[in-house]
Amino acid sequence: MVPFLLPPPWRGREQGNRPTRLSIPSPRLALLVLVLLGAGSATALNRERRADTSVKELTADVKKRLDTEYADLEALYKHLHTNPELSLQEARTAARMAKELKALGFEVTEKVGGHGVVGVLKNGKGPTVLVRTDMDALPVIERTGLPYASKVRVRDKNGQEVGVMHACGHDLHMTCWVGTARVLVSLKDRWSGTLVFLGQPAEEIGAGARAMLADGLFTRFPKPDSCLALHCDGNRPHGTIAYSEGLALANVDSVDIVVRGKGGHGSAPHTTIDPVVLAARIVLDLQTLVSRETNPTDPAVVTVGSIHGGTKHNIIPNEVKLQLTIRTTKDRVREDILKGIVRIANAAAEGARAPKPLVTQVPAEFTPALYNEPKLTRKTVALFREVLGEKAVLERPPIMGGEDFSRYGRAGVPVFLYFLGTIDPKRVEAAQREGADPLPSLHSDVYFPVPEPSIRTGVLTMSLAVLNLVGKE
Ligand SMILES: [Zn+2]
Ligand SMILES: [Zn+2]
């Protein structure tokens, strides 16, 4: 068995850390190069030609299949968008994903690590490739004005009414995932190996991947040789891809601080220890962790995203609660910042005669940095460049977002996550003009991906990426 679409060795040679361009200008030059490299012989050239034809033919076949599926996939996308479910509550969404896979002949196991879905399709000998989608939505009231906008309202764990919206594009991820499964099943005679299609819950709270791994994802089901995922990009034009080789996304930590004081009347501050003033001091002091204590070449973020205390104008409260998100790319920097938070909070409290604040790192919300395995990244990206064109595939530095897809990598499997452009190119261009408003980011109540052609590019790239990894007898 030879790996399918595997480029001949000389095609993927490294230039520093950057992937090389795959295609060669003409068959004549190809022959010359092969002879010069001693690979010689018409056999190698034929293999080369066959590989090129295979990419073209396969691309055409995937596109043809997509044409038949597209209307149905867009309808599925709109259905999912209108009916979002929060993290840990993805029951109906998971059931729909399971149904889609069962209809295609996958062996499906539900309720893996909560609402997780695992579909396995064995198709002869060959590598095992895992394709992951996330399934959860966010507590956001949608304001896109789209005809298929979500109107869902639910109560959160505090009893507050919140909106629910697929503001991170996980509905589009699921659609591309279903589309990819359909394409791969329809091309079953063209590849061999095992597919593991993973519907993951609770990505937004960093809990789903950990729960699925703890529930035996890599022991109860075939352990993959590689894992693939895509994520919507709210800044890039549709039809394009962005990626990072190696480090791609940051370590994410959540920290809670309870700033303690001594309450009393607002008119008599001298009889109190005011936790509001103390909290304000801590918020400002924390900013020096990045600006004064971290090496400027090591990216880091300390954001206080929530501050709550007090009930009324003239009452000094007993405590103020802070919620922080910490982003780092190196484990060492992460440790230093987490320790620094405790030191700064304690020192500020001591200066204010206040009791020690309660600083709690929330381990359940930790997400490790995502590392795109270089070999898998280069192999997949080389194919994307060939299929979409050089200009449509952008390598970019890591970003400070987080994704628990990283956990499959930390569990010992090479992983690759890429970003799928989802925005009308005209909007992207307009947003780049001087003085223009930036585009809404992911998680914004007005972010939306343009379904066509985003879904098409998602299904095309993911299907070809899998075909590039599985085998052919
Ligand atoms: Zn998100
Ligand atoms: Zn997301």
mmCIF file of all heavy atoms in Angstrom, residues 398-433:
data_model
loop_
_atom_site.group_PDB
_atom_site.id
_atom_site.type_symbol
_atom_site.label_atom_id
_atom_site.label_comp_id
_atom_site.label_asym_id
_atom_site.label_seq_id
_atom_site.Cartn_x
_atom_site.Cartn_y
_atom_site.Cartn_z
ATOM 1 N N PRO A 398 1.100 32.946 15.319
ATOM 2 C CA PRO A 398 0.064 32.437 16.222
ATOM 3 C C PRO A 398 -0.834 33.560 16.726
ATOM 4 O O PRO A 398 -0.423 34.715 16.743
ATOM 5 C CB PRO A 398 0.862 31.868 17.399
ATOM 6 C CG PRO A 398 2.292 31.994 17.064
ATOM 7 C CD PRO A 398 2.457 32.726 15.799
ATOM 8 N N ILE A 399 -2.050 33.222 17.120
ATOM 9 C CA ILE A 399 -2.937 34.211 17.732
ATOM 10 C C ILE A 399 -3.234 33.782 19.169
ATOM 11 O O ILE A 399 -3.015 32.629 19.537
ATOM 12 C CB ILE A 399 -4.237 34.426 16.924
ATOM 13 C CG1 ILE A 399 -4.941 33.104 16.637
ATOM 14 C CG2 ILE A 399 -3.947 35.157 15.632
ATOM 15 C CD1 ILE A 399 -6.263 33.279 15.933
ATOM 16 N N MET A 400 -3.734 34.735 19.961
ATOM 17 C CA MET A 400 -3.853 34.488 21.397
ATOM 18 C C MET A 400 -5.198 33.863 21.786
ATOM 19 O O MET A 400 -5.542 33.807 22.958
ATOM 20 C CB MET A 400 -3.601 35.773 22.185
ATOM 21 C CG MET A 400 -2.206 36.354 21.960
ATOM 22 S SD MET A 400 -0.868 35.175 22.252
ATOM 23 C CE MET A 400 -0.711 35.294 24.026
ATOM 24 N N GLY A 401 -5.961 33.414 20.797
ATOM 25 C CA GLY A 401 -7.171 32.654 21.104
ATOM 26 C C GLY A 401 -6.783 31.271 21.614
ATOM 27 O O GLY A 401 -5.601 30.897 21.592
ATOM 28 N N GLY A 402 -7.765 30.509 22.069
ATOM 29 C CA GLY A 402 -7.490 29.160 22.549
ATOM 30 C C GLY A 402 -8.465 28.170 21.947
ATOM 31 O O GLY A 402 -9.532 28.550 21.460
ATOM 32 N N GLU A 403 -8.113 26.911 21.945
ATOM 33 C CA GLU A 403 -8.928 25.837 21.351
ATOM 34 C C GLU A 403 -8.545 24.538 22.032
ATOM 35 O O GLU A 403 -7.367 24.191 22.062
ATOM 36 C CB GLU A 403 -8.576 25.724 19.861
ATOM 37 C CG GLU A 403 -9.690 25.989 18.894
ATOM 38 C CD GLU A 403 -10.757 24.903 18.845
ATOM 39 O OE1 GLU A 403 -10.603 23.868 19.513
ATOM 40 O OE2 GLU A 403 -11.740 25.114 18.124
ATOM 41 N N ASP A 404 -9.528 23.813 22.548
ATOM 42 C CA ASP A 404 -9.147 22.582 23.250
ATOM 43 C C ASP A 404 -8.875 21.422 22.289
ATOM 44 O O ASP A 404 -8.574 20.311 22.713
ATOM 45 C CB ASP A 404 -10.149 22.217 24.350
ATOM 46 C CG ASP A 404 -11.494 21.763 23.832
ATOM 47 O OD1 ASP A 404 -11.709 21.795 22.607
ATOM 48 O OD2 ASP A 404 -12.350 21.380 24.664
ATOM 49 N N PHE A 405 -8.911 21.694 20.991
ATOM 50 C CA PHE A 405 -8.432 20.715 20.004
ATOM 51 C C PHE A 405 -6.971 20.366 20.300
ATOM 52 O O PHE A 405 -6.486 19.285 19.962
ATOM 53 C CB PHE A 405 -8.575 21.325 18.604
ATOM 54 C CG PHE A 405 -8.168 20.419 17.474
ATOM 55 C CD1 PHE A 405 -8.861 19.247 17.218
ATOM 56 C CD2 PHE A 405 -7.102 20.749 16.645
ATOM 57 C CE1 PHE A 405 -8.482 18.409 16.177
ATOM 58 C CE2 PHE A 405 -6.720 19.921 15.595
ATOM 59 C CZ PHE A 405 -7.410 18.749 15.363
ATOM 60 N N SER A 406 -6.281 21.313 20.958
ATOM 61 C CA SER A 406 -4.884 21.104 21.335
ATOM 62 C C SER A 406 -4.700 19.838 22.185
ATOM 63 O O SER A 406 -3.647 19.221 22.166
ATOM 64 C CB SER A 406 -4.404 22.302 22.145
ATOM 65 O OG SER A 406 -5.233 22.472 23.293
ATOM 66 N N ARG A 407 -5.733 19.464 22.923
ATOM 67 C CA ARG A 407 -5.595 18.314 23.843
ATOM 68 C C ARG A 407 -5.362 17.000 23.104
ATOM 69 O O ARG A 407 -4.698 16.109 23.612
ATOM 70 C CB ARG A 407 -6.830 18.190 24.738
ATOM 71 C CG ARG A 407 -6.858 19.264 25.802
ATOM 72 C CD ARG A 407 -7.890 18.968 26.870
ATOM 73 N NE ARG A 407 -7.865 20.033 27.863
ATOM 74 C CZ ARG A 407 -7.042 20.072 28.902
ATOM 75 N NH1 ARG A 407 -6.194 19.098 29.106
ATOM 76 N NH2 ARG A 407 -7.078 21.102 29.739
ATOM 77 N N TYR A 408 -5.925 16.869 21.888
ATOM 78 C CA TYR A 408 -5.679 15.638 21.127
ATOM 79 C C TYR A 408 -4.204 15.564 20.760
ATOM 80 O O TYR A 408 -3.621 14.483 20.710
ATOM 81 C CB TYR A 408 -6.584 15.591 19.884
ATOM 82 C CG TYR A 408 -8.046 15.795 20.232
ATOM 83 C CD1 TYR A 408 -8.768 16.878 19.749
ATOM 84 C CD2 TYR A 408 -8.690 14.916 21.105
ATOM 85 C CE1 TYR A 408 -10.096 17.085 20.097
ATOM 86 C CE2 TYR A 408 -10.018 15.105 21.458
ATOM 87 C CZ TYR A 408 -10.717 16.192 20.955
ATOM 88 O OH TYR A 408 -12.018 16.397 21.310
ATOM 89 N N GLY A 409 -3.606 16.723 20.502
ATOM 90 C CA GLY A 409 -2.166 16.776 20.220
ATOM 91 C C GLY A 409 -1.360 16.434 21.450
ATOM 92 O O GLY A 409 -0.394 15.659 21.387
ATOM 93 N N ARG A 410 -1.764 16.973 22.588
ATOM 94 C CA ARG A 410 -1.026 16.680 23.827
ATOM 95 C C ARG A 410 -1.181 15.216 24.223
ATOM 96 O O ARG A 410 -0.395 14.686 25.006
ATOM 97 C CB ARG A 410 -1.502 17.600 24.955
ATOM 98 C CG ARG A 410 -1.172 19.068 24.651
ATOM 99 C CD ARG A 410 -0.514 19.765 25.810
ATOM 100 N NE ARG A 410 -0.037 21.089 25.394
ATOM 101 C CZ ARG A 410 0.571 21.945 26.200
ATOM 102 N NH1 ARG A 410 0.763 21.658 27.458
ATOM 103 N NH2 ARG A 410 0.987 23.103 25.743
ATOM 104 N N ALA A 411 -2.223 14.563 23.683
ATOM 105 C CA ALA A 411 -2.402 13.128 23.965
ATOM 106 C C ALA A 411 -1.567 12.273 23.014
ATOM 107 O O ALA A 411 -1.705 11.051 22.989
ATOM 108 C CB ALA A 411 -3.875 12.748 23.862
ATOM 109 N N GLY A 412 -0.734 12.909 22.221
ATOM 110 C CA GLY A 412 0.246 12.152 21.439
ATOM 111 C C GLY A 412 -0.075 11.934 19.976
ATOM 112 O O GLY A 412 0.560 11.123 19.319
ATOM 113 N N VAL A 413 -1.064 12.644 19.441
ATOM 114 C CA VAL A 413 -1.416 12.471 18.034
ATOM 115 C C VAL A 413 -1.088 13.775 17.284
ATOM 116 O O VAL A 413 -1.414 14.850 17.777
ATOM 117 C CB VAL A 413 -2.934 12.161 17.905
ATOM 118 C CG1 VAL A 413 -3.325 12.036 16.440
ATOM 119 C CG2 VAL A 413 -3.276 10.888 18.658
ATOM 120 N N PRO A 414 -0.442 13.689 16.113
ATOM 121 C CA PRO A 414 -0.206 14.917 15.342
ATOM 122 C C PRO A 414 -1.545 15.586 14.977
ATOM 123 O O PRO A 414 -2.461 14.912 14.505
ATOM 124 C CB PRO A 414 0.501 14.426 14.072
ATOM 125 C CG PRO A 414 1.023 13.070 14.402
ATOM 126 C CD PRO A 414 0.087 12.501 15.431
ATOM 127 N N VAL A 415 -1.648 16.884 15.230
ATOM 128 C CA VAL A 415 -2.900 17.590 14.929
ATOM 129 C C VAL A 415 -2.627 18.769 14.001
ATOM 130 O O VAL A 415 -1.537 19.327 13.990
ATOM 131 C CB VAL A 415 -3.608 18.114 16.212
ATOM 132 C CG1 VAL A 415 -3.914 16.990 17.170
ATOM 133 C CG2 VAL A 415 -2.793 19.209 16.907
ATOM 134 N N PHE A 416 -3.667 19.129 13.252
ATOM 135 C CA PHE A 416 -3.594 20.335 12.414
ATOM 136 C C PHE A 416 -4.965 20.992 12.374
ATOM 137 O O PHE A 416 -5.947 20.365 11.991
ATOM 138 C CB PHE A 416 -3.129 19.987 10.990
ATOM 139 C CG PHE A 416 -3.092 21.190 10.075
ATOM 140 C CD1 PHE A 416 -2.370 22.332 10.415
ATOM 141 C CD2 PHE A 416 -3.781 21.196 8.862
ATOM 142 C CE1 PHE A 416 -2.335 23.448 9.586
ATOM 143 C CE2 PHE A 416 -3.744 22.300 8.014
ATOM 144 C CZ PHE A 416 -3.015 23.425 8.378
ATOM 145 N N LEU A 417 -5.017 22.241 12.798
ATOM 146 C CA LEU A 417 -6.245 23.037 12.716
ATOM 147 C C LEU A 417 -5.964 24.235 11.826
ATOM 148 O O LEU A 417 -4.941 24.908 12.005
ATOM 149 C CB LEU A 417 -6.685 23.507 14.105
ATOM 150 C CG LEU A 417 -7.928 24.403 14.172
ATOM 151 C CD1 LEU A 417 -8.764 24.076 15.420
ATOM 152 C CD2 LEU A 417 -7.607 25.897 14.192
ATOM 153 N N TYR A 418 -6.835 24.466 10.856
ATOM 154 C CA TYR A 418 -6.648 25.638 9.995
ATOM 155 C C TYR A 418 -7.882 26.527 10.038
ATOM 156 O O TYR A 418 -8.960 26.107 10.473
ATOM 157 C CB TYR A 418 -6.318 25.215 8.558
ATOM 158 C CG TYR A 418 -7.365 24.374 7.850
ATOM 159 C CD1 TYR A 418 -8.332 24.953 7.027
ATOM 160 C CD2 TYR A 418 -7.377 22.981 7.977
ATOM 161 C CE1 TYR A 418 -9.276 24.186 6.355
ATOM 162 C CE2 TYR A 418 -8.313 22.206 7.317
ATOM 163 C CZ TYR A 418 -9.272 22.811 6.502
ATOM 164 O OH TYR A 418 -10.211 22.041 5.847
ATOM 165 N N PHE A 419 -7.684 27.769 9.594
ATOM 166 C CA PHE A 419 -8.766 28.749 9.650
ATOM 167 C C PHE A 419 -9.354 28.962 8.259
ATOM 168 O O PHE A 419 -8.624 29.119 7.289
ATOM 169 C CB PHE A 419 -8.251 30.074 10.226
ATOM 170 C CG PHE A 419 -7.984 29.978 11.693
ATOM 171 C CD1 PHE A 419 -6.734 29.608 12.166
ATOM 172 C CD2 PHE A 419 -9.001 30.196 12.613
ATOM 173 C CE1 PHE A 419 -6.494 29.476 13.518
ATOM 174 C CE2 PHE A 419 -8.777 30.062 13.963
ATOM 175 C CZ PHE A 419 -7.526 29.707 14.426
ATOM 176 N N LEU A 420 -10.671 28.975 8.246
ATOM 177 C CA LEU A 420 -11.414 29.074 6.993
ATOM 178 C C LEU A 420 -11.990 30.482 6.870
ATOM 179 O O LEU A 420 -12.782 30.904 7.717
ATOM 180 C CB LEU A 420 -12.553 28.041 7.043
ATOM 181 C CG LEU A 420 -13.509 27.972 5.874
ATOM 182 C CD1 LEU A 420 -12.839 27.327 4.663
ATOM 183 C CD2 LEU A 420 -14.754 27.163 6.261
ATOM 184 N N GLY A 421 -11.606 31.211 5.819
ATOM 185 C CA GLY A 421 -12.176 32.541 5.574
ATOM 186 C C GLY A 421 -13.677 32.438 5.381
ATOM 187 O O GLY A 421 -14.153 31.506 4.733
ATOM 188 N N THR A 422 -14.427 33.377 5.969
ATOM 189 C CA THR A 422 -15.894 33.270 5.899
ATOM 190 C C THR A 422 -16.574 34.590 5.533
ATOM 191 O O THR A 422 -17.785 34.701 5.596
ATOM 192 C CB THR A 422 -16.464 32.829 7.262
ATOM 193 O OG1 THR A 422 -16.061 33.783 8.265
ATOM 194 C CG2 THR A 422 -15.993 31.446 7.658
ATOM 195 N N ILE A 423 -15.770 35.608 5.193
ATOM 196 C CA ILE A 423 -16.341 36.945 5.033
ATOM 197 C C ILE A 423 -16.336 37.368 3.558
ATOM 198 O O ILE A 423 -15.395 37.058 2.823
ATOM 199 C CB ILE A 423 -15.521 37.969 5.867
ATOM 200 C CG1 ILE A 423 -15.384 37.496 7.324
ATOM 201 C CG2 ILE A 423 -16.133 39.361 5.805
ATOM 202 C CD1 ILE A 423 -16.681 37.412 8.106
ATOM 203 N N ASP A 424 -17.379 38.103 3.165
ATOM 204 C CA ASP A 424 -17.444 38.670 1.822
ATOM 205 C C ASP A 424 -16.173 39.495 1.560
ATOM 206 O O ASP A 424 -15.872 40.414 2.326
ATOM 207 C CB ASP A 424 -18.697 39.560 1.749
ATOM 208 C CG ASP A 424 -18.887 40.181 0.367
ATOM 209 O OD1 ASP A 424 -17.920 40.174 -0.423
ATOM 210 O OD2 ASP A 424 -20.001 40.674 0.105
ATOM 211 N N PRO A 425 -15.416 39.183 0.494
ATOM 212 C CA PRO A 425 -14.154 39.898 0.251
ATOM 213 C C PRO A 425 -14.326 41.422 0.207
ATOM 214 O O PRO A 425 -13.427 42.159 0.619
ATOM 215 C CB PRO A 425 -13.701 39.353 -1.104
ATOM 216 C CG PRO A 425 -14.392 38.046 -1.262
ATOM 217 C CD PRO A 425 -15.668 38.122 -0.491
ATOM 218 N N LYS A 426 -15.484 41.896 -0.286
ATOM 219 C CA LYS A 426 -15.706 43.357 -0.337
ATOM 220 C C LYS A 426 -15.731 43.959 1.062
ATOM 221 O O LYS A 426 -15.246 45.055 1.305
ATOM 222 C CB LYS A 426 -17.032 43.663 -1.047
ATOM 223 C CG LYS A 426 -16.948 43.468 -2.536
ATOM 224 C CD LYS A 426 -18.184 44.058 -3.222
ATOM 225 C CE LYS A 426 -18.370 43.407 -4.575
ATOM 226 N NZ LYS A 426 -19.512 42.472 -4.630
ATOM 227 N N ARG A 427 -16.335 43.232 1.988
ATOM 228 C CA ARG A 427 -16.366 43.718 3.389
ATOM 229 C C ARG A 427 -14.967 43.733 3.985
ATOM 230 O O ARG A 427 -14.608 44.631 4.735
ATOM 231 C CB ARG A 427 -17.264 42.813 4.249
ATOM 232 C CG ARG A 427 -18.728 43.148 4.162
ATOM 233 C CD ARG A 427 -19.507 42.281 5.148
ATOM 234 N NE ARG A 427 -19.412 42.747 6.538
ATOM 235 C CZ ARG A 427 -19.636 41.971 7.595
ATOM 236 N NH1 ARG A 427 -19.940 40.696 7.437
ATOM 237 N NH2 ARG A 427 -19.553 42.469 8.809
ATOM 238 N N VAL A 428 -14.177 42.710 3.654
ATOM 239 C CA VAL A 428 -12.812 42.639 4.183
ATOM 240 C C VAL A 428 -12.017 43.832 3.664
ATOM 241 O O VAL A 428 -11.322 44.524 4.421
ATOM 242 C CB VAL A 428 -12.117 41.316 3.758
ATOM 243 C CG1 VAL A 428 -10.668 41.269 4.243
ATOM 244 C CG2 VAL A 428 -12.888 40.110 4.305
ATOM 245 N N GLU A 429 -12.178 44.099 2.368
ATOM 246 C CA GLU A 429 -11.451 45.217 1.748
ATOM 247 C C GLU A 429 -11.875 46.542 2.382
ATOM 248 O O GLU A 429 -11.036 47.370 2.740
ATOM 249 C CB GLU A 429 -11.776 45.213 0.253
ATOM 250 C CG GLU A 429 -10.611 45.620 -0.621
ATOM 251 C CD GLU A 429 -11.072 45.722 -2.063
ATOM 252 O OE1 GLU A 429 -11.450 44.670 -2.618
ATOM 253 O OE2 GLU A 429 -11.056 46.851 -2.606
ATOM 254 N N ALA A 430 -13.183 46.734 2.547
ATOM 255 C CA ALA A 430 -13.694 47.989 3.114
ATOM 256 C C ALA A 430 -13.163 48.198 4.530
ATOM 257 O O ALA A 430 -12.821 49.319 4.928
ATOM 258 C CB ALA A 430 -15.221 47.974 3.104
ATOM 259 N N ALA A 431 -13.072 47.104 5.284
ATOM 260 C CA ALA A 431 -12.628 47.213 6.683
ATOM 261 C C ALA A 431 -11.145 47.562 6.772
ATOM 262 O O ALA A 431 -10.673 48.031 7.812
ATOM 263 C CB ALA A 431 -12.901 45.906 7.409
ATOM 264 N N GLN A 432 -10.418 47.325 5.682
ATOM 265 C CA GLN A 432 -8.976 47.615 5.714
ATOM 266 C C GLN A 432 -8.662 49.059 5.353
ATOM 267 O O GLN A 432 -7.538 49.509 5.516
ATOM 268 C CB GLN A 432 -8.238 46.657 4.768
ATOM 269 C CG GLN A 432 -8.063 45.270 5.391
ATOM 270 C CD GLN A 432 -7.699 44.208 4.392
ATOM 271 O OE1 GLN A 432 -7.729 44.435 3.178
ATOM 272 N NE2 GLN A 432 -7.360 43.024 4.874
ATOM 273 N N ARG A 433 -9.681 49.800 4.832
ATOM 274 C CA ARG A 433 -9.423 51.211 4.493
ATOM 275 C C ARG A 433 -9.186 52.016 5.753
ATOM 276 O O ARG A 433 -9.711 51.694 6.825
ATOM 277 C CB ARG A 433 -10.618 51.791 3.720
ATOM 278 C CG ARG A 433 -10.635 51.248 2.313
ATOM 279 C CD ARG A 433 -11.610 52.000 1.425
ATOM 280 N NE ARG A 433 -11.971 51.124 0.320
ATOM 281 C CZ ARG A 433 -13.197 50.636 0.101
ATOM 282 N NH1 ARG A 433 -14.193 50.983 0.885
ATOM 283 N NH2 ARG A 433 -13.417 49.823 -0.913
#
